[in-house]
Amino acid sequence: MGATKRTKIIDVLNASKVGEELTVKGWVRTFRNNQFIAINDGSTINNIQAVVDFNTTDENLLKRVTTGACISVVGEVVESMGKGQSVEIKVKSLEILGDADADKYPLQPKKHSLEFLREIAHLRVRTSTFSAIYRVRHAMIFAVHKFFTEKGFFNVHTPIITGSDAEGAGEMFAVTNLDLNNIPKNEEGKVDFKEDFFGKETNLTVSGQLEAETACMALSEVYTFGPTFRAENSNTSRHLAEFWMIEPEMAFYDIIDNMDLAEEFLKYLVTYALENCADDLAFLDKRSQDEDKQKPQQQRAEMSLMERLKFVVENEFVRLTYTEAIDILRNSNPNKKKKFKYLINEWGADLQSEHERYLVEKHFKKPVILRDYPRDIKAFYMRQNEDGKTVAAMDVLFPGIGEIIGGSQREERYDNLKSRIEEMGIPEKDLWWYLELRKFGTAPHSGFGLGFERLMLFVTGMGNIRDVIPFPRTPEHAEF
Ligand code: 4AD
Ligand code: MG
């Protein structure tokens, strides 16, 4: 059985195979009139129609052709009379590889809510929407590696278990094999991590940046692309507890070079999607337009998904400083009319996604790169500016999303970095090696982090980050 050659549906549909006899395997989407089986094998969003002759096919076999069942058909490729497909398969023989009990199989050929589909994340990839998202995800992963390879960057694997908190926000998940019912304590009555697996306190990483910087100080241009974890209790449509991040780190780049790379990178990825995921994007575009029609006029998107993607590729991102942005926000209508949930009163306020989206969607109507943020709201490693108040940080803000990239020029001066670490009360014992990079052959350098699922939100037009990663991890959700 295994020896039977299987032809992927994408190849049946795209290559001219009329007259050939071949085998197709896949899952039944629909079975109409005891005659027309729509089969999908995930190679493309499109189904192949297999036509069975119910006069000559065993009735009991046909009964088992139900939505969700896995089947194999052998037959001839013929031109299709019906609408919607150019070719179909005239079935000679049909085999059921796996039944799907019609009374129990939860996916039926009708529209299911995204909330419902999250509860059956092990099956939702069998819908058109989610198989499209998985394929686009793959294309974007590939495009990330392609972009950096073409530029001569080297991919480095950074550790997932770490002893340091790169972002200093204390939002980490502990990694331990201590017996939680019998935790060893030291003389001060605190957990005795000396007894733990690594002999010290360890966590899941929030970022691969600090280790990527070590490689950057030898290979010049590197990137890491790995899973990152944050125990922030933000139950929003843009936050995950486990997400993937792409973090390039470049020696000899200043903040401007960094912004240039970030803009080029995002445009490259979106262009790649437009050029390589046309069928899936066309489906997702229609899907989001249909969703939009359900919404009240004011909440509808001004542009369709395809228009938004092209718009990003074709327009230069607007660049301005945090200070300029604060002026715009302070004088904005939603601020004056107290429409923002968090009102902007003074310089130094942290920007929330409502502010970021106002700048992008209402004020500039273009992607925005903000730079030079107050140092008190940013991480310890960012390069201190001459003004003594700001750091050379940069965030890229996107429509519908807000922050998609966060990055900075790094503080490469030993004394400045050391004093910042002390000021912020970060234990130096965790970062001695990071400080040593500034002692031995330090160099100006920069980098940023692109949240892969934020990118996926933008490219697919989906509204909730839980729907662009196969198995989302959020507060109280770790099923599957
Ligand atoms: O701005 P962040 O926290 O920056 C860093 O982690 C730096 N170490 C990056 C660097 O300079 N190498 O996170 C970077 C990006 C954000 O802009 C956002 O896109 C994404 O990661 N992100 C999240 N995505 C999903 N869920 C979360 N909880 C996220 N937190 C950050
Ligand atoms: Mg950030």
Side-chain angles (χ1 to χ4, degrees), residues 42-330:
S43 58
T44 156
I45 186 109
N46 299 305
N47 304 327
I48 186 91
Q49 172 157 286
V51 187
V52 286
D53 183 347
F54 53 80
N55 294 313
T56 58
T57 315
D58 175 10
E59 202 182 317
N60 290 320
L61 200 60
L62 286 183
K63 274 196 194 131
R64 293 166 62 194
V65 180
T66 57
T67 297
C70 187
I71 65 171
S72 169
V73 299
V74 181
E76 190 193 332
V77 181
V78 297
E79 272 169 40
S80 176
M81 306 294 200
K83 284 199 296 238
Q85 67 271 328
S86 56
V87 294
E88 61 191 25
I89 295 177
K90 205 168 156 226
V91 177
K92 270 200 182 145
S93 71
L94 173 130
E95 191 190 338
I96 310 280
L97 301 179
D99 291 281
D101 185 337
D103 295 330
K104 300 204 177 101
Y105 185 61
L107 287 172
Q108 292 308 319
K110 63 162 197 175
K111 197 170 153 37
H112 295 288
S113 75
L114 294 170
E115 290 77 12
F116 169 71
L117 292 173
R118 271 173 227 146
E119 288 167 19
I120 50 163
H122 60 309
L123 297 173
R124 67 179 179 168
V125 62
R126 300 188 194 191
T127 64
S128 297
T129 298
F130 284 92
S131 61
I133 291 166
Y134 273 58
R135 280 186 298 270
V136 174
R137 215 180 136 98
H138 168 78
M140 290 295 89
I141 294 166
F142 182 74
V144 166
H145 291 297
K146 190 162 159 7
F147 175 81
F148 286 120
T149 302
E150 285 168 6
K151 287 200 155 293
F153 282 57
F154 300 102
N155 180 227
V156 294
H157 286 154
T158 48
I160 290 168
I161 301 173
T162 69
S164 51
D165 180 357
E167 294 305 305
E171 292 167 335
M172 297 187 295
F173 291 102
V175 173
T176 178
N177 75 338
L178 290 176
D179 177 356
L180 295 184
N181 291 312
N182 186 17
I183 296 174
K185 297 277 171 70
N186 60 22
E187 279 135 38
E188 292 160 48
K190 301 221 169 100
V191 181
D192 187 4
F193 287 106
K194 288 209 183 70
E195 300 273 311
D196 204 350
F197 189 90
F198 296 105
K200 61 181 287 190
E201 190 175 355
T202 51
N203 297 291
L204 292 176
T205 192
V206 295
S207 159
Q209 176 196 324
L210 304 191
E211 290 87 355
E213 283 188 50
T214 67
C216 160
M217 286 295 118
L219 300 170
S220 299
E221 290 168 328
V222 301
Y223 69 106
T224 176
F225 183 177
T228 45
F229 308 87
R230 299 207 181 168
E232 52 189 331
N233 205 347
S234 32
N235 231 326
T236 77
S237 57
R238 293 166 299 100
H239 288 90
L240 290 164
E242 175 180 295
F243 63 100
W244 291 71
M245 185 156 44
I246 300 127
E247 297 181 274
E249 197 65 38
M250 300 77 65
F252 321 120
Y253 276 51
D254 66 13
I255 186 80
I256 307 291
D257 301 324
N258 202 25
M259 295 194 289
D260 290 344
L261 184 75
E263 180 165 350
E264 184 187 346
F265 182 39
L266 286 168
K267 286 179 169 169
Y268 181 96
L269 295 174
V270 174
T271 305
Y272 189 90
L274 285 167
E275 287 174 359
N276 294 277
C277 307
D279 286 353
D280 289 321
L281 290 185
F283 175 86
L284 293 166
D285 186 42
K286 183 169 180 308
R287 183 191 171 281
S288 55
Q289 287 186 47
D290 291 346
E291 289 251 299
D292 232 32
K293 283 181 198 141
Q294 317 280 327
K295 295 183 188 159
Q297 191 78 40
Q298 318 88 282
Q299 285 174 28
R300 287 186 200 166
E302 281 172 32
M303 283 188 247
S304 71
L305 172 61
M306 290 305 230
E307 285 166 343
R308 283 201 299 277
L309 297 180
K310 290 192 185 123
F311 187 80
V312 159
V313 173
E314 285 162 9
N315 282 284
E316 273 190 19
F317 298 2
V318 177
R319 300 179 182 193
L320 67 157
T321 63
Y322 165 91
T323 304
E324 290 163 331
I326 284 290
D327 278 340
I328 294 170
L329 289 167
R330 209 172 3 205

Side-chain angles (χ1 to χ4, degrees), residues 259 262-263 266 311-312 315-322 325 328 351 355-371 373 394-399 402-405:
M259 295 194 289
E263 180 165 350
L266 286 168
F311 187 80
V312 159
N315 282 284
E316 273 190 19
F317 298 2
V318 177
R319 300 179 182 193
L320 67 157
T321 63
Y322 165 91
I328 294 170
L351 299 186
H355 309 126
E356 297 170 340
R357 292 184 56 177
Y358 173 83
L359 291 170
V360 173
E361 293 163 28
K362 299 280 187 278
H363 189 81
F364 290 110
K365 297 187 190 289
K366 275 191 196 161
V368 168
I369 311 183
L370 286 189
R371 56 180 285 204
Y373 282 75
M394 63 116 191
D395 279 5
V396 182
L397 315 179
F398 256 36
E403 178 188 340
I404 193 164
I405 280 181

